[in-house]
Amino acid sequence: MKLQGLNGRLEHNFPLKKLSTWRIGGLAETVFWPQNEEDLVKVWLEAKGEGIPIRFFGRGSNILFPNEFLPGITIITTQLNQTHWDEQQVKVGAGISLAALAREAAQRGLTGLEFGAGIPGTVGGAIVMNAGAHGGSIEDVLAKVKIMTMAGEIKVLEKEDLEFGYRKCSLRDQALILEGVFQLGKGDRESIKQTMSEYLSKRKASQPLEYPNAGSVFRNPPGDSAGRLIEKAGWKGKKYGDAQVSEKHANFIVNLGNATACQVRSLIEDIQKDVQEKYGVELKPEVCIVKPE
Ligand SMILES: Cc1cc2nc3c(=O)[nH]c(=O)nc-3n(C[C@H](O)[C@H](O)[C@H](O)COP(=O)(O)OP(=O)(O)OC[C@H]3O[C@@H](n4cnc5c(N)ncnc54)[C@H](O)[C@@H]3O)c2cc1C
């Protein structure tokens, strides 16, 4: 496939670990950071037409990449980063950082995105994951999305066209989000900033942010906490190579240096098996595991 005349960075044999907050992953055959949706659609349709595997990611804060070579094209959305404010509404490209958007909203005295303080993903990743914290989530503030379908068509959907649940959205694996429109409310700048700073302090106190990680590894089962069950089952601090169940928060697996995807996958599987055996609870991964081809 000829990748010529495109705007945006293009790399071959690029280390996936640089694209993931876990700092894990082997080489990707081709990585493309599109700067506009036209180039994105062009590459998507060409790759599909030629049967070349193509995948898309944001800031890689909820991803386990394989250590094996990843063939085909890996699209990273972080250059789709335009922002347009119109009073209490903001239209943003999918590649904007949610945390940065939340900071900008606070600076403008707009409320609604406080929960995004410290969530390291992009707006696109946050929409498909229905990211949230402290009782708030994307679905509370999202008004519209612009997407590219798997057939390469561009569509605008209203929030009512989508279904959301706990860390899930009907668009997941069905479309690439290009833009989101958020409806915020007027608030008091200082109290918004105060709330966000409290949220950040809570994160620093409870999460192992000093090591590469991908946030919560498992979804919380209904009415319970994955971290509580994993800790109770005795997994806190356990290591497979450099992959360790965090000593600070048992639902985080940290990379102590050279953890591999295989070590993390084995920890995930063994924790699932053990918690199922001991408590009859099925833990489902929240992180997206990219399988080697
Ligand atoms: C320290 C830390 C704390 C975290 N805290 C929270 C938290 O409090 N709450 C929470 O919900 N999450 C949290 N996360 C997880 C993560 O930040 C979110 O899930 C985030 O929304 C993922 O966005 P991303 O851009 O990094 O997506 P990626 O990890 O790059 O991708 C995740 C999935 O989304 C898909 N995707 C990415 N971009 C798009 C797009 N534009 N269109 C369609 N699909 C797309 C990918 O294909 C993949 O399946 C945390 C992570 C870390 C590392």
Side-chain angles (χ1 to χ4, degrees):
M1 180 177 164
K2 291 192 204 84
L3 291 164
Q4 282 163 356
L6 299 168
N7 291 301
R9 186 175 168 199
L10 189 64
E11 300 274 357
H12 299 288
N13 293 319
F14 190 81
L16 285 162
K17 61 163 67 170
K18 291 192 176 172
L19 302 173
S20 147
T21 56
W22 239 332
R23 299 283 173 261
I24 293 175
L27 295 180
E29 184 176 5
T30 302
V31 182
F32 176 46
W33 288 256
Q35 284 184 346
N36 58 55
E37 61 190 53
E38 292 74 28
D39 283 350
L40 171 52
V41 174
K42 190 172 153 202
V43 170
W44 181 264
L45 289 177
E46 266 187 55
K48 289 273 168 197
E50 293 183 26
I52 295 170
I54 182 160
R55 308 169 182 81
F56 43 85
F57 304 99
R59 291 170 74 95
S61 63
N62 205 29
I63 282 290
L64 180 62
F65 284 124
N67 277 90
E68 291 83 351
F69 184 71
L70 197 64
I73 300 175
T74 300
I75 287 182
I76 302 295
T77 62
T78 50
Q79 295 298 306
L80 300 174
N81 57 7
Q82 74 287 358
T83 311
H84 178 74
W85 292 89
D86 183 8
E87 299 196 355
Q88 292 172 45
Q89 247 195 19
V90 60
K91 179 156 85 173
V92 287
I96 286 271
S97 139
L98 179 64
L101 183 66
R103 282 197 298 276
E104 170 80 24
Q107 189 57 28
R108 290 169 180 261
L110 295 173
T111 180
L113 281 171
E114 291 87 329
F115 72 85
I119 299 184
T122 59
V123 159
I127 294 172
V128 287
M129 296 303 299
N130 190 18
H134 312 287
S137 67
I138 282 289
E139 66 177 310
D140 304 334
V141 279
L142 187 72
K144 279 182 207 175
V145 281
K146 186 174 176 190
I147 61 162
M148 178 189 76
T149 66
M150 296 296 172
E153 287 167 344
I154 307 278
K155 284 187 182 169
V156 174
L157 302 176
E158 303 293 324
K159 177 186 170 178
E160 292 67 39
D161 300 325
L162 312 176
E163 278 174 37
F164 289 98
Y166 167 58
R167 303 288 168 267
K168 64 179 183 195
C169 164
S170 48
L171 289 174
R172 173 93 187 269
D173 298 329
Q174 302 303 315
L176 194 154
I177 292 161
L178 298 167
E179 268 176 19
V181 177
F182 296 96
Q183 182 65 48
L184 306 175
K186 275 209 171 107
D188 173 62
R189 180 160 61 182
E190 290 318 309
S191 59
I192 295 169
K193 284 188 173 176
Q194 175 64 29
T195 304
M196 287 172 61
S197 133
E198 283 167 21
Y199 289 170
L200 285 173
S201 305
K202 279 189 190 159
R203 279 179 190 274
K204 278 194 193 127
S206 63
Q207 299 181 354
L209 304 180
E210 58 281 21
Y211 293 108
N213 70 79
S216 296
V217 172
F218 296 100
R219 294 159 185 275
N220 285 324
D224 208 337
S225 133
R228 189 191 76 81
L229 290 164
I230 298 165
E231 185 172 348
K232 200 171 158 210
W235 284 90
K236 219 175 188 183
K238 287 228 169 125
K239 279 187 226 171
Y240 287 1
D242 269 352
Q244 182 182 38
V245 178
S246 163
E247 288 171 338
K248 204 164 174 184
H249 190 319
N251 199 17
F252 278 59
I253 293 178
V254 294
N255 178 358
L256 299 178
N258 290 308
T260 63
C262 184
Q263 289 162 353
V264 175
R265 282 199 303 267
S266 300
L267 257 181
I268 290 177
E269 284 162 19
D270 290 353
I271 289 172
Q272 280 176 312
K273 218 168 129 206
D274 195 38
V275 168
Q276 176 77 52
E277 274 169 21
K278 286 184 173 142
Y279 311 115
V281 177
E282 187 192 356
L283 288 181
K284 294 191 179 141
E286 179 172 320
V287 291
C288 312
I289 300 172
V290 180
K291 298 257 161 61
E293 292 287 300

